[in-house]
Amino acid sequence: MPTLTNTKRTGSGRIDVALIGCSHHTAPVEIRERVTFSPEQAIAAAEELRKRRILDEAVVLSTCNRSELYGVPTDQGPAAADAMEVFLTSFHGVPRADLNGRLYRWRGPDAVRHLFRVASGLDSMMLGEAEILGQLRTAYGQALEHGSTGPVLNRMFQGAIEVGKRVRSETEVGARPMSVALAGVKLAERVFGNLKGHSALILGAGAVAEQVVENLRNRGIGRLRVVNRSFDHAEELARKMGGEAIEWSSLERVLGVPDIVIASIGGTGAVLTRALLERAIAARDGQPMFVVDLGVPRNITDDAAGLYNLYLYNIDDLGEIVEQNKKARESEVPRAEAIIAEHIAKFESWRAALEAGSIVEDLRDSFHKHRESLIREKLAEMDDVSPEERARIARITEELIDRVLEQPSQKLRRSREMRGHLAGLDALRHLFGLDSVKDEDKD
Amino acid sequence: MTHYYLGYISLALYTASFLCYARFLYVPDLWLGRMGTFLLASGIVMHYFALLERSRWIHTVPYNDLYGSMSLFAWLLGVTYLGLELFHRQRSVGAFVTLLLIVWIVLLAALAPNEAPPPPPARGPLFAFHVTLNTWAYAAFALSFVLSLIYLGQDRVLRSRKLATPFWRFPALDVLDRMARSSVYVGLAALIMGVIMGFVWAHRLSGGYSWGDPKVVITLAILAAYVAYLRLSRSTAWRGARAAKLCAFNFAVVLFSYTFVNLYLTRFHRFF
């Protein structure tokens, strides 16, 4: 794992992270799809950004909802973001005007906050979704593997992954189901526990029903049967869903078997009556039955809801539960933000240490330059100084610089508070003329 | 009086365990749950030493008065729950059980005697097992009562469709049902063995059985009630919430037996 000692930026002053990108918040899919990166492109782009000396460290994060370039600009001035934008547009061959107003730019702690919010799912289309953390981990892993990261981005992305994990484990931001299909399955789990080995019956078909089946399959549901008015259609659905097709006429006979019934027959009205379901539960020896009615108009008569050991939910019930969950997730955002703020402070403290360390190193370089020119200038006027004495003077002045800088170096190493104080002290750099030294170096 | 201090420490551990379990209902952090279990186990160990010290203090079994009996009940409740938690791998009801433990122990404090009660006549190990096993049975039934109440609450919430945060953490109805049944099995096994030992002890003492004693009658009724619960909870008409209600009702009878019958009705079982 790269460490502080690996940094290539030692002695170069400010170390800020820059970010440009667009997401579903700022750009429609027609724009996003034009600036998306495949994994190979992401690696190539990061490489190119470093080669062109736009960024010293680079990570490209590209998902269906966002394309973002993170990096430590070689030039820490305001032009860095422009250079990143030009690169982004030229890489994809998109006219810059097309992205006008679609791109966001963040710098320093704001860029860190953005990444941490992304990792936590707070910036996602569906609040708290978990997939983004995996995508972020993959993007960072690839960049790390190809050597396009350095100590700053390593620290920042590792921090982001930790924040993402903490937010999901310590808050409810990602805990409750947010889709009707998943809510139905999660509710079934509240009744049966582990769904492995339980059986389900699908009546009819529909997009939501298919999603429910997919979720049931993911949870290891056992026997899956499909019933439709048209047996051919039932067979087709059964093939698609990986189940067994049943004749419509056998519905009552098979209704007593499944633990879970998903009804989604369009335009027919009530198919399952209270009496039919009552007989089905009796045939199941009174074992609970979980029924989801996704049909509009409803496929199950209203009075069935009162049946003992029957848990019946219609599309509106599930919609209401999803809405409750959405509100509950939103109410957790402040707690997630508090975790993010805590990690930003940690990262900033670390970054300040890196920066403060570089101030002392720059100061040392500056003193040495002054020392050398002073010795050259003064000794030129002294003809009677022997070479041994000259060497001795050089050693003494060198030692003087080391002694003068020893205390501040130690204090910086030991005191986090001191590093914090120095974090924004551009004035210190200016006071000792270190910014001009840096500019001279560049020239 | 060391046992009192040990008792306070166990109370503090139970309270800390409750806080962890309660937080675990809201925050999906596995370590919180594990910490709850660890603190509960520590509280149980400390409670054991409190009972042991009390035995040394009064020179007899720790449950020869109401305070000691209730303390043993609380300890056995904790032990039984911990066993069930590990067996069913379910921590979500820990908050309720530890809360019951805390309330029970706080109530105990009001009964704590300042001086050692006079030692009872020696009754032998058979009698000691009889009392301990019956107390264990009551503790297990108390646990099944808590689980049944949670089942009924969960069932109500599922039907109301107003699903607050802890709902998503509670065990499934099926798991609660199995846990309650496991607890009743433990209780029944302990009760049957305890009753048998009681009969053997009584027979050795007097050469006969006191069938007419209200405590004996109600204990046999409790036994029958829980056997009925186990049977009915697998029948078509009773499976689910009705069985949970029956389990809760049965515990009301246990409480009646443990308090009113023990204190006012029985002649042979009024030991304190």
Side-chain angles (χ1 to χ4, degrees), chain A residues 192 195-201 221-225 257-261 284:
Chain A
F192 300 112
L195 295 182
K196 218 171 186 172
H198 284 273
S199 55
L201 177 73
I221 192 89
R223 195 173 197 182
L224 188 72
R225 287 172 152 181
V257 177
D259 303 307
I260 300 165
V261 176
R284 295 167 50 73

Side-chain angles (χ1 to χ4, degrees), chain A residues 403-420:
Chain A
R403 280 196 189 178
V404 166
L405 290 175
E406 191 184 349
Q407 201 182 15
S409 295
Q410 279 180 358
K411 279 193 175 171
L412 276 171
R413 271 199 296 274
R414 288 177 193 158
S415 167
R416 174 175 284 206
E417 200 183 334
M418 177 67 75
R419 296 200 295 259

Side-chain angles (χ1 to χ4, degrees), chain A residues 266-277:
Chain A
T268 56
V271 175
L272 301 180
T273 60
R274 181 186 168 96
L276 196 63
L277 286 165

Side-chain angles (χ1 to χ4, degrees), chain A residues 75-83 105 107:
Chain A
D75 175 2
Q76 287 280 330
D82 280 336
R105 298 170 170 207
R107 190 81 194 237

Side-chain angles (χ1 to χ4, degrees), chain A residues 170-173 175-177 190 324-325 327-329 331-332 335, chain B residues 22-28 154 157 162-170:
Chain A
E170 292 177 28
T171 74
E172 288 284 313
V173 158
R176 296 163 168 222
R190 298 293 85 214
Q324 287 170 25
N325 292 352
K327 282 181 189 153
R329 282 192 179 200
S331 71
E332 289 289 285
R335 289 179 60 210
Chain B
R23 182 98 182 112
F24 182 62
L25 286 179
Y26 287 88
V27 179
Q154 174 98 319
V157 170
K162 299 274 182 280
L163 314 175
T165 297
F167 165 83
W168 297 100
R169 294 257 187 293
F170 282 168

Side-chain angles (χ1 to χ4, degrees), chain B residues 36-53:
Chain B
T37 305
F38 173 74
L39 289 167
L40 174 63
S42 308
I44 288 169
V45 170
M46 209 49 79
H47 198 156
Y48 168 78
F49 285 111
L51 288 168
L52 193 68
E53 280 301 314

